[in-house]
Amino acid sequence: MADMKVGAYICKGCGIGERLDTAQLAMIAQKEGKAQVVREHEFLCNASGVEMIKNDIANEGVNHVVIAACSRRAKVETFNFENVAISRANLREGVIWATPADADKKELVQEMAADYVRMGCAESIKMLIPRTNPSLGHNKRILVVGGGISGMTAAIESAKTGYDVLLVEKTGSLGGWAAKLHKRVPNREPYAEPVDTGIADLIKQIESDKHIKVFLNSTLSKTSGSPGQFSVDISKESGGTTTENIGGIIMASGFTPYDMNKLPYLGAGKSKDVVDQLGLEALAKAAKGGAIKRPSDGKEVKSVVFVQCAGQRSDKEGELPYCSGHCCNTSIKQAMYFKNQNPDIDTNVIYTDLRTPGNGEDFYRSAQKKGVTFTKGNVGEVVPGSGGLEVKFKDLILNDDAVAKADLVVLATGQVANSGIDMEAQLLAEATERDDAKKAKDAGEAVAQHQEKPKGVSILNLTYRQGPDLPHLKYGFNDSHFICFPYETRRTGIYSCGPVRRPMDMAQAIEDATGAALKAIQAVENAGLGRAAHPRSGDLSFPEFRKEGCTQCKRCTVECPFGAIDEDEARYPVFNESRCRRCGTCMGACPVRVISFENYSVDTVGSQIKGVDMPDQFSEKPRILVLACENDAYPALDMAAMNHIQYSAFTRVIPVRCLGSVNTIWVTDALNSGYDGVILMGCQKGENYQCHFVKGSEIAHTRMSKIDDTLKQLSLEVERVKTYEVAITDIQRAPALINEMAETIQKIGMSPLKF
């Protein structure tokens, strides 16, 4: 490796030169930061500034660059130099925009800027130039699991971009549930009538596309590997297995309709004339545009009642607590089947809330014009009788009990995701079983019958130590955040789309599948270049560890949210770099600190913490360390500064990849170094998590819950360390939390550990 040569570049633009003494900052970079090349520039991001840096890299041998200018979130492409370790000192958003321009604050603001320059140089010295991930995967074929509307769309969109696609469908034909529909809800103006499903055309496209290979009556019996180098065994129903190598996977395994027979109080199973929405689609297809006949006696339906939210949006045991999204529009569409055939048919849609995503009220208004009746009510019972069916409901407008008679009742039941085995629920059941058995044994009692383990048929049959399928959300859908990272799962290179990800209609499924295809393409391209996937897409670094220092504690293996760490025969960790998301959770978990990345390590952050010039206890200048998640909290502080929302100039902010990467040694070192307060800002955790690395914030909160013992050992107040959940929109709250800490320190006094 070439000798390290640090170049520090200090920008005067955007008001930095007007508020700060940049000559002093340059001197600090040279003398204290050990930078061999130090330059100031009027506007570092303009062509001449960038050229100056490039010239130093090419001709002066600079290979570690410190940019003291704007936030690391700004000008990312401008300050992107190949084969160079780059550190950013945030003087604009982090200093001059976050502090007042008062003359009496000038010294404090200059000290703040000087510390950020010291921190930037200290970080740069501890960084290594990132190398390419050695475990390259060059296969770019896309595997799509599921041949419904989502799977077919994902296959077609991938093929359009020139990628070869394998499409695996467990049944004997493509189309999924969409192929069983008579018509579909319109997806464009004027939203007046049900339209053709278009499934036949999609199937023709797939059959004629040379880039798509279809496997019918087939399932995955084994999936192993990582992005760019997956291996899958595709087993046919009739026997025989084919092994294929692929680059990325799209899981589009769809849904199963909720079993309406679980709703006997709504007449299901008691009368043939009570059907679910798919049952009505079958009746409509059989009618071929003619009169729809009721199943019990084949007579023409003269009156029909649609019961919305049947067995869903419910708190009853065994029913679905969520809305399935498509059902209201589907009932409106189906009501039109009857009205278009015979306007005199009495059609009544009974709903509690009518939701029509995608078409506003246009489709609903079209149905009203045709004479469809919409009744706001809560159906309590459907009773079969000799003359037909009686639908008993509470009229929510008149606040009165009512009864509607019908020849046919259609239950709008929900979607249940075909997401495979819920491994977390299974592991919990197994742990409970072991715990119960141990308690019984200790008490000398017979082992009681334990709770039944979750059942299911695996979709992917993954060879991951964490289990054969993707992790689930609480309702059984694939874990994928709908705002921060749709389609992403906890298995790198595997993306989910359609109703297996969340309840949705056909229009949403088509859009979802297109997004998943683009993410899969991004993954295989990054894998071929040895780079990370989302959210650190393009990162060349990867985790390494010092084997001689490893205690084989397994914490890194267990805490990795993405299944990127296995174990060898001697129980040492084995890192699968291609699966790794570069979050650093393993680094934060390691008690002996032997795990690191070239450009992010215990030392790169630790050196920044120690690089701050610490005033003595008599100076009345406290120091507050903020370790801020780079995905939410750090941007929130940047945006606060942009909006002139200020916080204490005693603050020093260090962005971290994820709160899960925070090693407790950083907090201990900070306190021992004389910091008066430490704040950790991570993403929201729990069921509605927003952590880009899923479990990082949750893990960090667990680690920090034990920090009180450390504080007590150091004879420090527990108020000196706080951990918060901060959203990217918390531009008012994030600075307020810092100012609260400053007020707390003012009340409890400076740290007694200052020198």
Side-chain angles (χ1 to χ4, degrees), residues 274-305:
V274 177
V275 298
D276 61 10
Q277 290 182 320
L278 281 165
L280 179 58
E281 292 293 337
L283 295 175
K285 287 194 86 168
K288 298 180 180 179
I292 296 175
K293 310 289 181 63
R294 64 183 187 182
S296 61
D297 56 14
K299 290 185 179 179
E300 184 177 339
V301 174
K302 296 295 186 182
S303 59
V304 57
V305 170

Side-chain angles (χ1 to χ4, degrees), residues 563-617:
I565 309 175
D566 288 311
E567 294 171 11
D568 63 16
E569 297 79 4
R571 298 179 62 191
Y572 285 104
V574 176
F575 290 86
N576 188 317
E577 297 88 357
S578 296
R579 292 180 184 176
C580 176
R581 302 280 180 91
R582 281 66 165 180
C583 61
T585 298
C586 55
M587 188 176 85
C590 183
V592 289
R593 303 182 291 282
V594 297
I595 301 174
S596 64
F597 297 76
E598 294 104 328
N599 55 1
Y600 185 65
S601 66
V602 171
D603 285 343
T604 62
V605 176
S607 64
Q608 292 180 73
I609 293 171
K610 295 173 184 176
V612 169
D613 184 37
M614 188 62 61
D616 62 38
Q617 58 182 315

Side-chain angles (χ1 to χ4, degrees), residues 503-518:
M504 63 180 69
D505 59 20
M506 284 179 64
Q508 292 169 322
I510 291 169
E511 181 179 307
D512 216 52
T514 304
L518 292 174

Side-chain angles (χ1 to χ4, degrees), residues 394-423:
K394 178 77 173 231
D395 191 310
L396 297 178
I397 300 297
L398 301 177
N399 194 28
D400 197 8
D401 292 331
V403 176
K405 294 185 179 294
D407 294 330
L408 186 71
V409 170
V410 183
L411 304 181
T413 54
Q415 297 177 339
V416 179
N418 290 334
S419 49
I421 298 171
D422 186 347
M423 289 309 303

